[in-house]
Amino acid sequence: MIVKNEEAMLPRCLKSVSGLVDEIIIVDTGSTDSTREIGKKFNARVFDCAWDDNFSNARNFSLAQASGEWILVLDADEVLVFESRDQVKKLLSEPGVEGYFIRIVNLLGALREFETSEDFVVRLFRNKPEYRFTGAIHEQVRPSISHHAGENFLKRAPLTIYHDGYLSELIQKKGKVKRNTSVIIKALREQPGDPFLLYSLGCEYFVSDCFKEALSLFRQALSAISVREGYMPDLIIKMGLCLYKLGELSEMDLLITRYKDLYPLAPELSFLSGLTKLDMGKLSEAEQDINECMMHLSFGSPHYLGIKKHQVYQVLGEINEAKHSWDKAVKFYFLALQSQPNYLYPLHKLVNIYKNHHPGVRLEDFLGFCPPDTKYRLLTKLDWEIDDEAVIYLILGLIRDIMISDLNIAQLFIPRFLEILNDKQIALKNLRTAATAALAKAAVTLACYKAVEVGNTSEICKKLMDNIKDILLWKDENKP
């Protein structure tokens, strides 16, 4: 490992390999916190290495300190997941293998609503002096192993590394973009025009939402690399996204059309093509591209930007909404919501269609998009004054769950549900959510007696739900 000021992350990482590794090598590049002391508590051998703006130099210094037959490389913001020590020992005893690709799952975006992307990187390999990292940044050991042993001696391991260093909060806290940009610019002075460095610098601008600057660098890199380069698909995808963000749809369409056949299994290319066609009003072509994307996602092909099914369903909803195919649109918005309940944009789209277009499918059929616990958790996180549509929809869904559940199961949710309704209703200024909370309390209280059918409680609860649905679908003519 190479580290600097990782006292918050390091213990978690080291615990993940406790009992698996025979020695821990930590190379510190200038920590001013308790990183070194934490490493020593885990019996790590800690070495100092002056930082020279080159990750490979630090990596290779760490490799030189290792005494074992095999080397596992981790970063402090990573956690290794494996079945057992015996599983790993079996991998290390495989004949004719010089190294293993390990699946890396990157957590992206904001901590509370993150997405993921995946990659396979050589992180486990034999300890040989000829196997060394190259590249000032985004350093890799694979090229040297391939050069000396051959690509056929690299296999995939059934191991996973979870990496949260790309979460926006951590990127900002650590100043990663500023550090990486400085390293790459220095390297470009020594290797002007190097396509991988241009691509890497473009990626730093890309994650900072500087799409114009990123696009310029990606164009330079694209003009200088072979289509066989491993990072080529990612370059095309990020370049396409830059063009999309900048509104350059015609150029984006030409780019995707040119490279789509070269990388037919990269679902992002079909996804970007579909987005472009949708914005250009070519709805049938857009639907074809998005369906193609969905097919490749289903077959588990490589994902460069972590496209998820809920995003694909959302675009299919938007395509069918643009075609005025209301039943299909609400179906796809429901599937998007069901695939990722934390992402509520499809919910607002679904409610809007019911408000304005009256599709043939009942709204009640879409209330069971997630388990009651998830609905309750979402209710505790939402702002009841601002997110009134989502709140009312979730309340309707919870009442529905209670009504169709066995009484013993329903009574597990009822006290918590009533508690949050009482707490929120006290201070509510939003009349829609306040009225909904009052009606919901009555419905849930009556639901407690549904087993004995006192006064035909089920029918009354349904009428109360109808009243709540009317509140949800009420159109305020003063709002756009």
Side-chain angles (χ1 to χ4, degrees), residues 1-15:
M1 303 179 69
I2 59 173
V3 298
K4 181 180 178 182
N5 292 335
E6 294 286 3
E7 63 181 7
M9 297 290 188
L10 188 58
R12 183 191 62 174
C13 174
L14 296 179
K15 285 177 185 176

mmCIF file of all heavy atoms in Angstrom, residues 1-15:
data_model
loop_
_atom_site.group_PDB
_atom_site.id
_atom_site.type_symbol
_atom_site.label_atom_id
_atom_site.label_comp_id
_atom_site.label_asym_id
_atom_site.label_seq_id
_atom_site.Cartn_x
_atom_site.Cartn_y
_atom_site.Cartn_z
ATOM 1 N N MET A 1 0.839 -1.184 0.000
ATOM 2 C CA MET A 1 0.000 0.000 0.000
ATOM 3 C C MET A 1 0.880 1.243 0.000
ATOM 4 O O MET A 1 1.955 1.250 0.602
ATOM 5 C CB MET A 1 -0.891 0.034 1.257
ATOM 6 C CG MET A 1 -1.771 -1.165 1.449
ATOM 7 S SD MET A 1 -2.744 -1.031 2.988
ATOM 8 C CE MET A 1 -3.845 0.308 2.524
ATOM 9 N N ILE A 2 0.399 2.271 -0.695
ATOM 10 C CA ILE A 2 0.993 3.588 -0.521
ATOM 11 C C ILE A 2 -0.096 4.483 0.054
ATOM 12 O O ILE A 2 -1.257 4.422 -0.366
ATOM 13 C CB ILE A 2 1.580 4.166 -1.832
ATOM 14 C CG1 ILE A 2 0.505 4.286 -2.922
ATOM 15 C CG2 ILE A 2 2.739 3.318 -2.325
ATOM 16 C CD1 ILE A 2 0.995 5.002 -4.179
ATOM 17 N N VAL A 3 0.274 5.306 1.037
ATOM 18 C CA VAL A 3 -0.733 6.071 1.769
ATOM 19 C C VAL A 3 -0.221 7.468 2.089
ATOM 20 O O VAL A 3 0.985 7.722 2.115
ATOM 21 C CB VAL A 3 -1.120 5.369 3.099
ATOM 22 C CG1 VAL A 3 -1.726 4.004 2.844
ATOM 23 C CG2 VAL A 3 0.091 5.255 4.012
ATOM 24 N N LYS A 4 -1.195 8.348 2.354
ATOM 25 C CA LYS A 4 -0.892 9.663 2.905
ATOM 26 C C LYS A 4 -2.163 10.182 3.596
ATOM 27 O O LYS A 4 -3.212 10.304 2.964
ATOM 28 C CB LYS A 4 -0.453 10.657 1.825
ATOM 29 C CG LYS A 4 -0.109 12.036 2.405
ATOM 30 C CD LYS A 4 0.319 13.019 1.326
ATOM 31 C CE LYS A 4 0.608 14.391 1.933
ATOM 32 N NZ LYS A 4 0.988 15.383 0.899
ATOM 33 N N ASN A 5 -2.041 10.427 4.887
ATOM 34 C CA ASN A 5 -3.153 10.969 5.686
ATOM 35 C C ASN A 5 -4.432 10.152 5.499
ATOM 36 O O ASN A 5 -5.472 10.666 5.112
ATOM 37 C CB ASN A 5 -3.402 12.434 5.330
ATOM 38 C CG ASN A 5 -2.265 13.342 5.767
ATOM 39 O OD1 ASN A 5 -1.527 13.025 6.700
ATOM 40 N ND2 ASN A 5 -2.105 14.463 5.102
ATOM 41 N N GLU A 6 -4.331 8.871 5.829
ATOM 42 C CA GLU A 6 -5.464 7.959 5.650
ATOM 43 C C GLU A 6 -5.948 7.383 6.984
ATOM 44 O O GLU A 6 -6.438 6.249 7.039
ATOM 45 C CB GLU A 6 -5.081 6.813 4.707
ATOM 46 C CG GLU A 6 -4.799 7.228 3.282
ATOM 47 C CD GLU A 6 -6.075 7.590 2.514
ATOM 48 O OE1 GLU A 6 -7.162 7.570 3.125
ATOM 49 O OE2 GLU A 6 -5.971 7.886 1.310
ATOM 50 N N GLU A 7 -5.824 8.153 8.071
ATOM 51 C CA GLU A 7 -6.198 7.616 9.385
ATOM 52 C C GLU A 7 -7.675 7.216 9.451
ATOM 53 O O GLU A 7 -8.041 6.306 10.200
ATOM 54 C CB GLU A 7 -5.898 8.631 10.487
ATOM 55 C CG GLU A 7 -6.681 9.937 10.394
ATOM 56 C CD GLU A 7 -6.337 10.916 11.498
ATOM 57 O OE1 GLU A 7 -5.394 10.626 12.268
ATOM 58 O OE2 GLU A 7 -7.000 11.974 11.595
ATOM 59 N N ALA A 8 -8.543 7.881 8.682
ATOM 60 C CA ALA A 8 -9.971 7.558 8.722
ATOM 61 C C ALA A 8 -10.289 6.262 7.988
ATOM 62 O O ALA A 8 -11.205 5.531 8.377
ATOM 63 C CB ALA A 8 -10.778 8.712 8.125
ATOM 64 N N MET A 9 -9.556 5.981 6.926
ATOM 65 C CA MET A 9 -9.870 4.840 6.059
ATOM 66 C C MET A 9 -9.037 3.590 6.352
ATOM 67 O O MET A 9 -9.496 2.466 6.156
ATOM 68 C CB MET A 9 -9.662 5.231 4.586
ATOM 69 C CG MET A 9 -10.570 6.336 4.104
ATOM 70 S SD MET A 9 -12.258 5.733 3.980
ATOM 71 C CE MET A 9 -13.044 7.128 3.186
ATOM 72 N N LEU A 10 -7.817 3.777 6.794
ATOM 73 C CA LEU A 10 -6.856 2.674 6.878
ATOM 74 C C LEU A 10 -7.311 1.509 7.759
ATOM 75 O O LEU A 10 -7.150 0.348 7.356
ATOM 76 C CB LEU A 10 -5.500 3.209 7.343
ATOM 77 C CG LEU A 10 -4.330 2.216 7.291
ATOM 78 C CD1 LEU A 10 -4.133 1.686 5.874
ATOM 79 C CD2 LEU A 10 -3.047 2.894 7.785
ATOM 80 N N PRO A 11 -7.863 1.741 8.954
ATOM 81 C CA PRO A 11 -8.253 0.597 9.794
ATOM 82 C C PRO A 11 -9.239 -0.339 9.108
ATOM 83 O O PRO A 11 -9.105 -1.562 9.174
ATOM 84 C CB PRO A 11 -8.876 1.264 11.030
ATOM 85 C CG PRO A 11 -8.272 2.615 11.083
ATOM 86 C CD PRO A 11 -8.091 3.028 9.661
ATOM 87 N N ARG A 12 -10.239 0.235 8.432
ATOM 88 C CA ARG A 12 -11.235 -0.589 7.741
ATOM 89 C C ARG A 12 -10.586 -1.454 6.673
ATOM 90 O O ARG A 12 -10.904 -2.636 6.523
ATOM 91 C CB ARG A 12 -12.283 0.330 7.122
ATOM 92 C CG ARG A 12 -13.413 -0.384 6.426
ATOM 93 C CD ARG A 12 -14.240 0.594 5.612
ATOM 94 N NE ARG A 12 -13.448 1.216 4.559
ATOM 95 C CZ ARG A 12 -13.960 2.021 3.628
ATOM 96 N NH1 ARG A 12 -15.229 2.324 3.658
ATOM 97 N NH2 ARG A 12 -13.184 2.534 2.699
ATOM 98 N N CYS A 13 -9.656 -0.881 5.915
ATOM 99 C CA CYS A 13 -8.966 -1.619 4.855
ATOM 100 C C CYS A 13 -8.148 -2.767 5.433
ATOM 101 O O CYS A 13 -8.227 -3.906 4.961
ATOM 102 C CB CYS A 13 -8.059 -0.668 4.070
ATOM 103 S SG CYS A 13 -7.030 -1.487 2.837
ATOM 104 N N LEU A 14 -7.371 -2.480 6.466
ATOM 105 C CA LEU A 14 -6.497 -3.503 7.046
ATOM 106 C C LEU A 14 -7.294 -4.614 7.717
ATOM 107 O O LEU A 14 -6.892 -5.782 7.686
ATOM 108 C CB LEU A 14 -5.522 -2.859 8.030
ATOM 109 C CG LEU A 14 -4.531 -1.864 7.400
ATOM 110 C CD1 LEU A 14 -3.611 -1.266 8.458
ATOM 111 C CD2 LEU A 14 -3.700 -2.534 6.306
ATOM 112 N N LYS A 15 -8.436 -4.274 8.301
ATOM 113 C CA LYS A 15 -9.279 -5.305 8.907
ATOM 114 C C LYS A 15 -9.800 -6.267 7.856
ATOM 115 O O LYS A 15 -10.017 -7.458 8.134
ATOM 116 C CB LYS A 15 -10.450 -4.654 9.639
ATOM 117 C CG LYS A 15 -10.088 -4.003 10.967
ATOM 118 C CD LYS A 15 -11.291 -3.311 11.598
ATOM 119 C CE LYS A 15 -10.895 -2.568 12.866
ATOM 120 N NZ LYS A 15 -12.044 -1.798 13.439
#
